[in-house]
Amino acid sequence: MDKLLIAGGVPLAGEIAISGAKNAALPLMCAALLTPEPVTLTNVPELNDIATMLKLLAQMGVKVEKVGAGGTAGGEGMALTLDASGLNQPLAPYELVKKMRASVLVLGPLVARYGEARVSLPGGCAIGARPVDQHIKGLAAMGAEIGIEQGYVHARAAKLKGARLFTDMVTVTGTENLMMAACLAAGETVIENAAREPEVVDLAHCLISMGARISGAGTDVIRIQGVERLHGTTHRIMPDRIETGTYLCAAAATGGSVRLTHTSASYLDAVIDKLMDAGCEIALEREAIRLKAPKRATAVSIRTAPYPAFPTDMQAQFMALNCVAEGTATIRETIFENRFMHAVELARLGADIKIDGNMAIVTGKPRLTGATVMATDLRASASLVIAGLAAEGETLVDRIYHLDRGYERMEEKLAALGARIRRVK
Ligand code: EPZ
């Protein structure tokens, strides 16, 4: 099992390119199921989750073609062409779904295009139960016959019908699943309480380029007029706003000065605001962000909530920053019920964190000291790397397969910013 060995205490400096967004790429790959024509995606990040999704689609009969070397310095990423004309097995098996919950995103497209889907229930994960009841409720409202059999969601519909849908809570992949299904349904579908995340908008843009009729993406009411069929397209994946925020936090925690290219600040207002409150100087360019950190940041309280509020996927990284900042701050996690597992690991580095339900109270320390820590989930891993970069001495982060799911070549990018970091077997 790979580990990352970090010798901390070096302020990050320099420039790196941000990759394509994992949480945009995953639904976009599933959108290819909606048409028999080829769909080409560019700026695809090379991540384990992308590889898992490719495996899942291939075993359904989707032809997959990878073009170009991924992660080149120019930040162009890899290109993928997906051809679902030979789709012949609408099945998402447990072995793959348990590795990646986003597999549930094949459900809507399969029922809409193929008329049937058997998708394993994802099961819980480290950060929470994460049920898919809203995905099921929405498809049932659109006329799918849907039930749970031996741990699988089994859905059938000769032709989905447009419906007025209201999700009980804001759900990103729930909104994406239902929006994709509605593209080929008969009549109009309205999704109320829809997720407004930029990745939902990126997916809508791609679907529209395939011939879908969608309005309101990015607001909490999305209207979709069903069409007979969708055609192929070429779509460039948006930059990864969470990867961007992660490197901004790493620079802030180490008193560094960095420039991140091939990205945009327009999806990170809440994070940028908090980094400025922490004392960072931030300059926004058309496709780049520059951050200059103070010697020691000021602790800043945050509260996670659906977009455009502070993203839950940046909570762990910001906690690491607060661990070395001046002062005490509170972190309230309102999306997932168990997303503070990085706190006990950060405490091993000397952090002062008190957990009280869904609130963490963090008192910054002038310095942390390196230790061996264990990653538990994707963003917790990033939080431990950030703390290790800021700590004095050596930090060994174990189980970094979590990190490889969502960050492309993290140790190379950090080394390019001057970090003393290497992967050890
Ligand atoms: C997406 O997960 C992201 N993943 C997550 O990123 C992100 O943390 C999350 O949205 C919130 O922003 C992808 O886009 C692939 P939700 P998703 O449905 O869609 C509850 C990362 O680190 N809920 O918006 O699975 C759910 O339990 C990952 O990249 C139901 O109860 O999250 C959670 O408490 C982690 N029933 C809340 O809603 C449902 O049917 C929000 O979940 C659906 C969701």
Side-chain angles (χ1 to χ4, degrees):
M1 206 173 303
D2 288 5
K3 301 171 171 61
L4 279 183
L5 184 60
I6 301 165
V10 177
L12 295 185
E15 178 174 307
I16 52 169
I18 294 297
S19 305
K22 165 178 85 82
N23 289 351
L26 293 171
L28 285 166
M29 291 164 77
C30 297
L33 292 168
L34 289 165
T35 175
E37 297 180 19
V39 170
T40 297
L41 300 173
T42 62
N43 196 32
V44 182
E46 283 201 75
L47 303 167
N48 290 357
D49 272 8
I50 301 295
T52 303
M53 185 61 86
L54 285 176
K55 213 180 288 176
L56 177 62
L57 294 174
Q59 58 91 39
M60 288 179 189
V62 175
K63 277 209 298 303
V64 170
E65 193 198 335
K66 275 189 191 178
V67 176
T72 48
E76 273 317 298
M78 166 178 71
L80 281 180
T81 298
L82 304 170
D83 174 348
S85 56
L87 173 64
N88 58 17
Q89 172 164 270
L91 167 71
Y94 177 66
E95 302 69 48
L96 287 171
V97 176
K98 77 172 189 264
K99 280 178 65 177
M100 184 185 64
R101 319 174 26 73
S103 308
V104 72
L105 284 164
V106 301
L107 180 61
L110 284 176
V111 179
R113 161 97 187 289
Y114 196 85
E116 181 174 13
R118 286 171 57 77
V119 176
S120 167
L121 279 171
C125 83
I127 63 178
R130 300 180 72 184
V132 290
D133 54 300
Q134 302 298 309
H135 304 235
I136 293 170
K137 186 182 102 174
L139 287 172
M142 295 169 78
E145 267 173 65
I146 194 160
I148 311 279
E149 298 150 15
Q150 289 100 30
Y152 277 74
V153 178
H154 190 196
R156 275 188 304 278
K159 178 85 174 163
L160 289 171
K161 289 187 307 299
R164 189 167 198 80
L165 309 175
F166 191 97
T167 56
D168 298 352
M169 79 294 292
V170 173
T171 159
V172 175
T173 50
T175 300
E176 290 166 344
N177 234 336
L178 297 173
M179 181 168 72
M180 286 192 279
C183 287
L184 295 179
E188 179 183 59
T189 298
V190 180
I191 305 174
E192 306 241 21
N193 202 20
R196 299 164 56 187
E197 269 68 5
E199 292 76 21
V200 174
V201 179
D202 203 39
L203 174 62
H205 287 161
C206 179
L207 291 167
I208 290 166
S209 77
M210 293 166 69
R213 293 173 55 199
I214 301 172
S215 60
T219 75
D220 61 354
V221 179
I222 302 178
R223 287 177 193 284
I224 305 107
Q225 303 295 338
V227 293
E228 266 311 298
R229 60 180 280 137
L230 296 181
H231 50 74
T233 190
T234 295
H235 179 81
R236 179 181 167 75
I237 295 172
M238 65 177 281
D240 194 318
R241 63 194 169 98
I242 304 301
E243 184 194 18
T244 303
T246 301
Y247 287 110
L248 292 176
C249 274
T254 56
S257 172
V258 298
R259 181 167 184 266
L260 308 180
T261 63
H262 295 82
T263 185
S264 154
S266 49
Y267 317 118
L268 273 174
D269 292 352
V271 175
I272 297 229
D273 276 2
K274 292 296 178 181
L275 287 167
M276 290 167 82
D277 292 349
C280 297
E281 286 167 41
I282 294 184
L284 308 181
E285 301 173 32
R286 205 172 58 77
E287 285 199 342
I289 299 179
R290 289 202 311 276
L291 178 144
K292 187 166 177 0
K295 188 128 183 50
R296 188 177 180 201
T298 305
V300 178
S301 293
I302 60 169
R303 182 181 185 284
T304 68
Y307 192 86
F310 193 94
T312 175
D313 288 351
M314 281 300 304
Q315 178 258 107
Q317 299 90 312
F318 217 86
M319 186 183 286
L321 172 56
N322 275 340
C323 288
V324 293
E326 175 88 44
T328 296
T330 58
I331 291 178
R332 196 177 287 280
E333 171 58 60
T334 72
I335 304 288
F336 290 111
E337 61 268 32
N338 183 29
R339 202 169 195 178
F340 282 147
M341 281 165 302
H342 38 287
V344 282
E345 296 301 315
L346 291 167
R348 290 178 50 73
L349 301 171
D352 177 352
I353 305 167
K354 292 180 188 57
I355 304 290
D356 173 11
N358 75 342
M359 186 159 79
I361 298 132
V362 184
T363 300
K365 304 284 273 295
R367 71 179 51 75
L368 299 178
T369 46
T372 297
V373 289
M374 187 180 78
T376 49
D377 63 85
L378 170 55
R379 306 306 173 181
S381 322
S383 162
L384 298 177
V385 171
I386 291 172
L389 291 167
E392 304 258 313
E394 283 204 341
T395 294
L396 186 64
V397 183
D398 200 353
R399 301 196 180 183
I400 56 157
Y401 58 85
H402 291 290
L403 209 62
D404 295 334
R405 294 188 49 181
Y407 288 97
E408 188 176 30
R409 301 176 300 108
M410 177 177 256
E411 72 270 21
E412 285 176 36
K413 293 194 180 187
L414 285 170
L417 293 173
R420 291 177 304 207
I421 182 170
R422 65 189 168 84
R423 185 179 287 254
V424 294
K425 294 294 172 197

